[in-house]
């Protein structure tokens, strides 16, 4: 038990209490226990818990995380108190083992391992065999009667210590070792005998002297202190920081250090070592799962030098040990009430448990394990709900790469922008994608590779199997659109150089052309060379249904989907969406058959021409909306009026400039191609371009904006061009009336974007309501609808009480709200985000996980003020956050009515919302045991 | 005397009280009084007050503003109550005058005039001679014994009524009248005799029938109702809306309608009409000032057809009337305790006062009048403080156009971005400006004309006499920079088409080339053709000193100036600045001799090269800072670290694209020119460009941002490139130490821009403090300094309690805070602002006048939370709002320590701050009489 010992020496200064820095475990009893992960880290807590449970654990002690934090705070020092407590613990260990650290005939050797609160496998450093020196190695050789083992252990210590503590490059030692193997004509490490290893040791020591400007420390106590500090420092290494960043682990936690008596799996044929799981971590099946090697050390199992053996084989080799291991791990699972991931060593026939922890598993496994543990009576249904990370439900919805199907050569790693797997031939343009991808049976999978995608690429993105971009973040166009499509996307793979003009991509010195095969893993962000197979997935899963059946009754808030087309809406319904939270109407205009009318509208010189173009778009929008209403069968369909700035629909300014500048010097073929490109704008012959292009550029210049995000968009469009709002409203209400006439209920929620003042809202709401009345009058039928707004600007949240006078619902657009609250352009944030995360300035990407302090306060204020004016105001969220578990929890906490997310996040949102609800309810009831 | 009469008829419904819509005045007594401007408008209140004071005012009645508001609310109807009250008032008027409206032998004729709370001269409509019809015109002819006068009055009524009420274009009547003059060979209107005018009347009536599809109404009561409604409607006409917009008048106020018995100044040689001021409105001198015409109607005085005579001449013509007028106006000035602007008519020897109001005046006049009125004992010193609009103090600082020096042909009107006058020859590029402007004695004034300006134009802007842009708003680059320079600028003159390539500008079908002369009036936004003279100005004014001497003791908050260079700092001190509130260090890098190093820094491949370039910039920055410290002699100098995104220093992306695309087809001359342009980047020969330009483009593309405002700028630069913060800190502290060693005190406030989290602040503050200690150590001297931040993002305001842990001062950057709170890019807002103001969605440009509800709440929250953590935290503002009076008042109210503004706004800010302080104090003391 964690007790804070008050130092008697300081009785005169009653405010000073000594912290307990060191926790001993061994001899069947530990100072700590399994709950003390904050202090002891996961590993240390596990060792204490196993020791207390009477399991065979090599004894030792854990230096708690506070020591690491002190080390960081003080810039690399620890107080004398810590040193004293370590010495005390070490003496206790020596007494228990009846050994002396690195001394005497039977020297005590220890391992020094990091162990943070949250598992960070392989991220921090470990030192084995500590205590060996020129004397004790001889003692070990004599006592083990195995000089080769002793010298090998010693050279491993020097190597690990040299690398980890003294920061000498690993290659220095590798070169010496490889040279020795060559000299001795040895193929395997094990072919080097004791003599050769002694020579290696000599050379290692020289290398240490040369690179570290000091001798390898012969004093075992000095070794221990230096190793401890190196572990502390390893908390701050780049790998560890990176790992914490992606896993949202607080940089301030620090790591504990575990010092433990060494046991050896390489002392001969009755020794061995292995790792295992109490259930299959990939499928969740209840089977004893793992692998081991006889006469080997831990690192041999994972290094791949020798092929490990399935754990069931152990039963044949050492049936007693196997049975003991089975019995222990079964007890551990029962004790922790969760699937265990364990490490063990057999030293000369004696089993030692080195580690146990809750095992990482796939989403499918997580669900199955949770369900079966309920069936086995290990956990309750309420506990099972929390055993699955909502993000993992994605596993049920996307295919995965079959990595055994082919050699895996990772070319680059980008952001895992949209999960799943995709395998296909490279194309560099959306048009080429459409051409290559084919239709129906003759479908050829293509991967669309772009520096970044734009709305004009949509048609190519729709037919592509996956998308790869070299620029852009987790909320770039490619990322957002593909997540909406449930399509695999790797974004911002910066190592890849895309040359769209030359139609090639370069990476790692290799050049890839159109038609070359690549495979994408959107779940990890890996770009893999060549053609791997994929494994399909399906959401129709009984375990999933069972789990959701337990979880859903706790869910207090609704889950809607963002969907722009009927196909997505139907998909979303299948995943359990209870409405459409965001239909982005502009996506409807990028279709090949529509964009010309949209462009005509934008290029119109006057309102009359603009109205004519809008009239041509009206029937198209109407049929889109009708499709959505039919798909949703009376559930709410939230339709956002046109939002993006109009220049997004026109050719890019710089392209026009270049085309104009090069027109006169272009050759006939190029000129003809240009005519083709601008045909839609009225170019019929080369001669037309001279007038047309500058005119087009003039309009594009007029529309050009320095900061489009803060520009002429959202309701500002509808206010300056009320005819756009009129057309869209008409399309919505004509569709709703027509669908209701067919006997299908409708529930339209018309959403005005980018409101910052109530007057904008009243201006636009008045148009919507007027058009609604006109349509109802004309068609002789009235349908139910609401007019509301997105709250996506700080000012809207602040004056929400005013806005709620006109708005019948709020939907928080937290993408834009995050942009404006932080002053971060989400298209540009990648220039600073890596540094910000690395420096700990941000704990996570605020576009991925909602910022509760800043953006969150505005959300809270907006809801509170909105409902002050209009009690019961319907409030939701439609930003990307609506599908992210911790953000969903936040939405639950602040009292939203629903969250909305892309169809493929609906399951995740449902479980996250249920967990939030359950957490609340069980806390209140005091009934939650976890 | 405003009494609300409770209708006895409604005794059974006690909650319903009848509103008093109509206020009578006449017979020495009025229902209303001079304080009732809200109800009666300025004119109506003046008429009531003059009547009560026993002055000779033609009797009549005022329909109060609530009727207009009802008319607007109901969409064009007024309640029967209003009609009834009007009829009652009309009967009372008829009884008093012993006349009947448009009937009998002596028909009552009335004028119908608008009159809003705030004077809107010429913005709304007036109808004279109402009551005339085919019968009453004959009675008037007989009674006046002047048929020509009677028919002329009638045709004027038809014309005004036709135009204003029936909305027939004025040209219809003008054409008829001109044709008649031609037919009768008349040059002047007065040459048409009664017969000709009778013919005109016939044709006017036909025209009314044709265009309005109805006869001119013969019923005088119908005329009155229709005229009244037309006045109500005129509140909503475009001119009036526009006027209210620029003058910040609430659209919801509505106008009153004044119906008043006509008096005629055109009844012969003992009749006349005139306008005047009790003091000179241009200079403030105490002299009777005005002009009149005998035998004329009011509009003749202002139309310019006849040249009016100076009012002193009246003494000779009609000494009694003159003396009566002098006596009355002197009484009026005493009564209102302010300079009066009056209108009068003499009808057959009898003087009538038609209007009196506080006269508009120039800034210089305002100050002089206020001072002299105190000397005269009319007002107190405390009252005098409020008699000057702080904005008007600008008049003391800038030259003005001498509009009598030449014919004034206004080409276009843009935004009055930076006041003053400028006359010069057009240039289209900054380089040309430098070339043309010359130096020293040989200075040629040039006007730099650009579509919009960028930081790269600074050198041209510095030498130009004035700046004219066709795009951009009140806070565009051109506007902000010129205001900082105190240089005249007209921005966003949308009618002007600037073609920089062709070096011409087109406006109103005229083409202007380089070298053509134009004149700018930055105070009104007018662009005038040709070369006018200017009148110089000086701030050394005794009256101004006196006024400021009365005002300043009330001022609670400091006034600092925004200044980047010592020259501006010295200027600011002269205007009374108490420190520098914002030194934008980036402006120092755009200098011709510096930008190459800045570019080298940006193009550097690694930190080492970057540091080398920074090292070259260090001495330059250090000398800049030293200059500022010396100029400010120990007053605070707030230095903002580098803020703008780095791509602002490089060539534009689209220019590079075009240069690359056209390189191969360029002729040798063009190629040579390109080499020159890119010499700084290492181009020596044409051959170099092929490699250089794509490399340069690559870096520009890397730095390219979709929304630079929300991009890689502010502290984000300092965090990703800490060496920039280091260099700037070093320059600051080395300069401060050096200056103090020279015996001059310094007080540096180092300001970190664009903070959104406390960790950004601690990151940058740590660098600044470390470098400070290094410099102090090296130089052996310590100087006092603070490290603080700009609060310019919503999140910063929300987490100000956190940020204040690290920041020793706050400066609200309300430009950016407005951008992010509203989601308005200030470079792009002009696309929507005109519509927003016209539609009443915004009352004013939020970049000009601080938005108290949204941005203001964040400011209040930021101050409150900041001071919760750090009581006494120094808080200021450095956005453009710091020089705008109502925003300064806000800053005072929320408890800021100071405001900062451009040097030429310092006087304005001082007076505005003093008024705010006085207003508070006098309110508390109950001593303020105004």
């Amino acid at each position: 038990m964690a007790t804070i010992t008050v130092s008697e020496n300081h009785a005169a200064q009653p405010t000073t209490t000594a912290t307990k820095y060191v926790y001993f475990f061994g001899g069947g009893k530990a100072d700590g226990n399994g709950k003390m992960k904050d202090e002891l880290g996961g590993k240390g807590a596990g060792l204490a818990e196993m020791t207390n449970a009477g399991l065979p654990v090599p004894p030792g002690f854990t230096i708690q995380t506070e020591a690491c934090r002190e080390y960081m705070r003080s810039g690399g020092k620890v107080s004398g108190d810590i040193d004293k407590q370590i010495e005390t613990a070490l003496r206790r260990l020596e007494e228990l083992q009846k050994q002396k650290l690195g001394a005497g005939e039977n020297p005590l050797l220890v391992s020094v391992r990091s162990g943070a609160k949250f598992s960070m496998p392989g991220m921090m450093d470990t030192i084995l065999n500590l205590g060996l020196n020129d004397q004790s190695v001889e003692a070990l050789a004599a006592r083990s009667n195995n000089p080769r083992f002793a010298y090998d252990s010693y050279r491993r210590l020097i190597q690990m210590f040299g690398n980890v503590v003294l920061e000498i490059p690993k290659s220095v030692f590798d070169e010496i070792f490889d040279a020795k193997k060559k000299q001795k004509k040895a193929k395997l490490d094990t072919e080097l005998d004791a003599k050769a290893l002694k020579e290696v040791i000599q050379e290692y020591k020289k290398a240490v002297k040369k690179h570290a400007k000091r001798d390898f420390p012969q004093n075992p106590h000095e070794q221990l202190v230096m190793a401890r500090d190196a572990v502390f420092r390893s908390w701050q290494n780049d790998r560890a920081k990176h790992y914490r960043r992606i896993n949202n682990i607080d940089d301030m936690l620090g790591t504990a250090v575990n010092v433990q008596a060494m046991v050896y799996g390489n002392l001969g044929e009755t020794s061995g070592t292995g790792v295992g799981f109490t259930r299959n971590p990939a499928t969740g099946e209840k089977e004893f799962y793992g692998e081991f090697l006889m006469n080997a050390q831990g690192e041999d199992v994972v290094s791949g030098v020798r092929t490990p053996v399935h754990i069931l084989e152990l039963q044949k080799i050492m049936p007693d040990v196997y049975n003991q291991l089975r019995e222990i791990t079964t007890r551990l699972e029962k004790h922790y009430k969760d699937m265990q991931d364990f490490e063990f060593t057999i030293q000369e026939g004696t089993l030692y448990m080195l580690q146990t922890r809750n095992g990482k598993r796939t989403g499918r496994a997580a669900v199955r394990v949770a369900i079966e543990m309920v069936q086995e009576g290990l956990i309750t249904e309420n506990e099972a709900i929390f055993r699955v990370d909502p993000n993992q439900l994605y596993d049920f919805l996307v295919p995965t790469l079959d990595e055994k199907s082919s050699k895996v050569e990772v070319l680059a790693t980008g952001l895992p922008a949209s999960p799943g797997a995709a395998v296909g031939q490279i194309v560099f343009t959306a048009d080429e994608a459409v051409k290559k991808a084919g239709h129906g049976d003759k479908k050829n999978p293509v991967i669309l590779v772009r520096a970044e995608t734009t709305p004009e690429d949509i048609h190519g993105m729709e037919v592509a199997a996956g998308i790869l971009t070299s620029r852009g973040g987790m909320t770039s166009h490619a990322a957002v659109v593909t997540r909406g499509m449930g399509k695999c996307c790797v974004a911002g793979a910066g190592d890849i150089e895309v040359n769209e003009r030359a139609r090639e991509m370069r990476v790692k010195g290799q050049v890839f052309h159109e038609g070359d095969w690549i495979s994408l893993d959107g779940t990890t962000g890996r770009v893999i060379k060549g053609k791997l197979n994929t494994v399909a997935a399906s959401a129709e899963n009984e375990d999933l249904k069972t789990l959701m059946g337990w979880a859903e009754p706790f869910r207090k808030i609704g889950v809607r989907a963002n969907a722009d087309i009927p196909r997505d809406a139907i998909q979303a319904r299948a995943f359990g969406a209870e409405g459409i939270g965001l239909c982005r109407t502009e996506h409807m205009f990028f279709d090949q058959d529509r964009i010309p009318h949209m462009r005509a509208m934008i290029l119109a010189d006057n309102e009359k021409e603009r109205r004519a173009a809008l009239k041509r778009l009206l029937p198209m929008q109407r049929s889109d909306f009708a499709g959505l209403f039919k798909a949703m069968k009376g559930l709410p369909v939230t339709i956002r009026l046109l939002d993006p700035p109009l220049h997004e629909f026109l050719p890019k300014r710089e392209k026009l400039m270049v085309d104009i500048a090069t027109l006169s010097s272009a050759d006939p073929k190029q000129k003809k191609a240009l005519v083709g490109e601008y045909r839609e704008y009225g170019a019929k012959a080369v001669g037309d371009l001279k007038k047309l292009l500058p005119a087009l550029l003039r309009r594009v210049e007029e529309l050009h904006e320095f900061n489009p995000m803060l520009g002429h968009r959202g309701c500002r469009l509808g206010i300056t061009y009320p005819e756009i709002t009129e057309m869209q409203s008409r399309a919505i209400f004509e569709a709703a009336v027509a669908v209701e006439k067919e006997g299908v209920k409708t529930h339209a929620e018309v959403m005005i974007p980018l409101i910052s003042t109530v007057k904008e809202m009243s201006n636009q709401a008045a148009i919507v309501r007027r058009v609604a009345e006109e349509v109802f009058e004309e068609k002789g039928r009235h349908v139910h609808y609401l007019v509301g707004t997105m709250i996506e600007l700080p000012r809207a949240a602040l004056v929400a009480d005013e806005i709620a006078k006109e708005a019948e619902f709020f939907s928080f657009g937290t993408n834009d709200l995050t942009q404006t609250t932080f002053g971060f352009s989400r298209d540009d944030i990648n220039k600073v985000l890596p540094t910000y995360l690395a420096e700990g300035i941000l704990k996570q990407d605020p576009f991925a996980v909602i910022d509760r302090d800043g953006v969150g306060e505005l959300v809270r204020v907006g809801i509170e003020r909105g409902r002050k004016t209009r009690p019961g105001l319907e409030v939701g969220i439609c930003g990307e956050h609506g599908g992210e578990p911790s953000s969903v929890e936040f939405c639950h906490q602040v009292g939203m009515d629903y969250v909305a997310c892309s169809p493929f996040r609906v399951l995740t949102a449902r479980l996250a919302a249920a967990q939030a609800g359950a957490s609340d309810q069980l806390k209140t009831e005091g009934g939650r045991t976890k």
Side-chain angles (χ1 to χ4, degrees), chain A residues 656 660 691-704:
Chain A
L656 277 166
I660 289 169
K691 256 196 181 165
L692 172 69
L693 296 189
L696 204 48
L697 177 59
R698 209 170 305 135
R699 180 68 178 138
V700 168
E701 287 281 13
E702 273 173 25
L703 293 172
H704 175 64

Side-chain angles (χ1 to χ4, degrees), chain A residues 306-620:
Chain A
R306 286 165 60 192
T307 308
V309 183
H310 195 280
I311 201 155
L312 294 180
E313 294 297 311
L314 185 60
Q315 195 166 15
K316 294 175 196 155
I317 302 168
M318 300 183 92
D320 288 351
V321 169
Y322 175 82
N323 288 338
Q324 191 191 356
L325 183 64
R326 279 290 274 168
E327 187 267 329
I328 287 173
T329 56
T330 307
R331 265 174 65 198
L332 282 171
E333 196 185 83
K334 279 206 176 119
H335 182 77
Y336 286 108
K337 298 183 174 177
D338 201 357
M339 178 184 103
Q340 293 300 296
D341 164 4
F342 55 85
E343 291 177 21
F344 63 95
T345 284
I346 308 160
Q347 180 174 308
E348 294 173 325
T350 306
L351 175 69
Y352 291 97
M353 297 304 295
L354 298 185
Q355 170 153 312
T356 191
R357 58 186 172 196
N358 294 341
K360 291 197 189 297
R361 65 208 83 172
T362 66
R364 287 171 175 277
V367 172
R368 180 164 175 178
V369 167
I371 304 275
E372 291 187 355
M373 284 194 168
V374 171
Q375 289 161 352
E376 293 161 21
L378 270 177
I379 58 174
T380 66
E381 290 178 5
N382 288 351
E383 284 169 326
I385 297 169
F386 293 93
R387 287 298 171 86
V388 180
D389 174 351
N391 280 320
Q392 289 189 306
L393 296 188
Y394 229 45
D395 282 8
F396 288 93
L397 308 176
V398 294
T400 47
L401 285 178
D402 176 5
E403 307 208 5
K404 284 166 198 155
S405 64
S406 176
K407 202 178 132 243
V408 174
E409 180 184 348
V410 177
L411 293 171
T413 302
L415 297 165
S418 181
V423 177
Q425 287 177 287
I426 296 174
V427 292
F428 292 99
T429 66
D431 290 341
E432 194 60 32
V434 171
K435 220 165 107 189
K436 277 255 173 68
H439 302 282
D441 297 339
K442 289 190 133 194
K443 228 168 160 183
N444 304 312
V446 297
I447 305 288
L448 178 59
V449 178
R450 307 277 293 164
E452 60 210 331
T453 63
T454 70
E456 295 214 33
D457 294 326
I458 290 283
H459 60 297
M461 295 171 79
E462 275 183 343
V463 299
I467 314 289
L468 167 61
T469 69
S470 59
R471 284 208 290 260
M474 290 298 285
T475 51
S476 62
H477 178 263
V480 173
V481 171
T482 49
R483 278 203 293 278
M485 293 175 171
K487 181 166 293 188
C488 168
C489 173
V490 173
D495 289 343
I496 293 178
E497 220 181 295
V498 178
N499 188 333
E500 281 153 18
R501 233 163 238 246
R503 305 213 162 180
E504 59 179 41
M505 76 174 203
R506 285 165 186 273
V507 57
K508 285 196 174 169
Q510 301 180 47
V511 185
F512 293 82
H513 300 280
E514 214 151 68
D516 290 344
W517 286 85
I518 52 171
S519 304
L520 302 182
D521 181 350
T523 312
T524 62
R526 289 174 308 159
V527 182
I528 294 162
K529 186 176 177 175
K531 186 177 177 178
L532 269 65
N533 291 336
T534 57
V535 185
S538 151
E540 281 303 310
N541 180 291
E542 281 310 315
D543 285 343
L544 182 62
K545 279 186 195 157
T546 304
L547 185 83
M548 293 307 283
W550 294 337
E552 291 268 278
F554 288 104
R555 182 156 63 86
K556 288 280 170 296
I557 62 177
V559 175
R560 298 186 188 177
N562 301 338
D564 308 334
I565 51 172
R567 192 187 61 205
D568 290 350
I570 291 163
Q571 175 88 85
R573 286 277 285 138
F575 294 153
E578 298 155 330
I580 292 180
L582 176 62
C583 162
R584 305 173 197 84
T585 53
E586 59 270 20
H587 285 184
M588 298 168 173
F589 294 130
F590 281 106
D591 262 18
Q592 294 286 38
D593 54 335
R594 297 173 180 197
I595 198 164
H597 304 301
M598 192 65 190
R599 287 174 174 160
M601 194 274 286
I602 298 165
L603 295 170
D605 282 330
N606 51 53
E607 192 183 319
K608 201 179 145 200
E609 280 182 35
R610 204 155 43 236
R611 282 189 182 277
L614 285 167
K615 212 169 167 182
R616 295 193 294 275
L617 287 167
L618 173 65
M620 300 173 181

Side-chain angles (χ1 to χ4, degrees), chain A residues 693-833:
Chain A
L693 296 189
L696 204 48
L697 177 59
R698 209 170 305 135
R699 180 68 178 138
V700 168
E701 287 281 13
E702 273 173 25
L703 293 172
H704 175 64
E705 293 176 317
F706 295 97
N707 299 292
M709 154 64 203
L710 307 174
H712 193 175
R713 48 169 291 232
C715 70
R716 298 166 194 174
L717 289 173
I719 289 168
T720 47
Y721 303 114
E723 53 274 17
I724 297 178
T725 304
E726 283 170 19
M727 183 282 277
Q728 293 203 294
S729 304
R730 180 162 280 276
I732 291 167
F733 296 116
E734 286 185 357
V737 168
V739 167
E740 293 223 345
K741 281 187 176 171
E742 288 178 35
V744 180
K745 289 289 285 174
T746 69
H747 177 106
E749 302 195 348
V750 182
M751 184 154 74
I752 317 292
L754 212 69
I755 290 291
S756 64
T757 74
V758 65
K759 287 192 178 173
E760 292 171 318
M761 186 64 207
S762 52
N763 175 301
Q764 291 291 287
I767 297 176
V768 174
R769 291 186 182 120
R770 172 173 56 72
V771 173
E773 288 310 314
E774 283 167 16
V775 172
F776 299 160
E777 176 97 349
E778 287 164 24
K779 308 288 176 189
R781 194 182 186 112
H782 185 279
V783 301
H784 173 68
Y785 72 96
L786 298 177
V787 187
T789 182
M790 280 179 88
I791 303 289
E792 51 185 334
L793 294 170
R795 195 177 193 283
L798 295 170
V799 300
D801 45 348
E802 287 291 318
I803 291 173
K805 289 179 189 161
E806 288 285 342
E808 295 171 308
F809 66 85
F810 281 180
S811 176
F812 282 86
T814 51
N815 292 352
D816 279 1
L817 192 59
T818 301
Q819 296 200 79
T820 44
T821 304
F822 268 101
F824 269 139
S825 164
R826 89 186 143 132
D827 291 322
D828 302 310
I829 193 176
N830 274 348
K831 295 197 171 70
V832 295
L833 193 58

Side-chain angles (χ1 to χ4, degrees), chain A residues 72-105:
Chain A
M72 290 191 282
R73 278 197 300 269
S74 69
K77 275 166 253 162
V78 297
S79 73
D81 237 31
I82 297 176
D83 283 333
K84 262 186 238 159
Q85 293 188 27
I86 291 173
E87 280 303 320
T88 307
L90 182 60
R91 273 199 301 278
R92 197 167 152 194
L93 179 60
E94 288 175 337
E95 280 162 22
L96 183 70
Q97 294 289 90
K98 301 194 174 59
Q99 296 174 299
K100 285 273 172 197
L101 182 65
E105 289 182 6

Side-chain angles (χ1 to χ4, degrees), chain A residues 148 152 155 176-178 180-197 200:
Chain A
R148 196 203 163 275
D152 193 45
R155 73 97 192 161
I176 294 168
F177 199 73
D178 289 345
K180 185 60 65 186
K181 273 164 76 180
K182 210 170 166 191
Q183 183 199 334
K184 303 286 181 189
K185 300 200 171 66
K187 273 190 185 157
L188 295 177
D189 293 4
T190 45
E191 289 173 38
L192 287 183
D193 61 12
K195 183 171 162 284
L197 288 168
V200 168

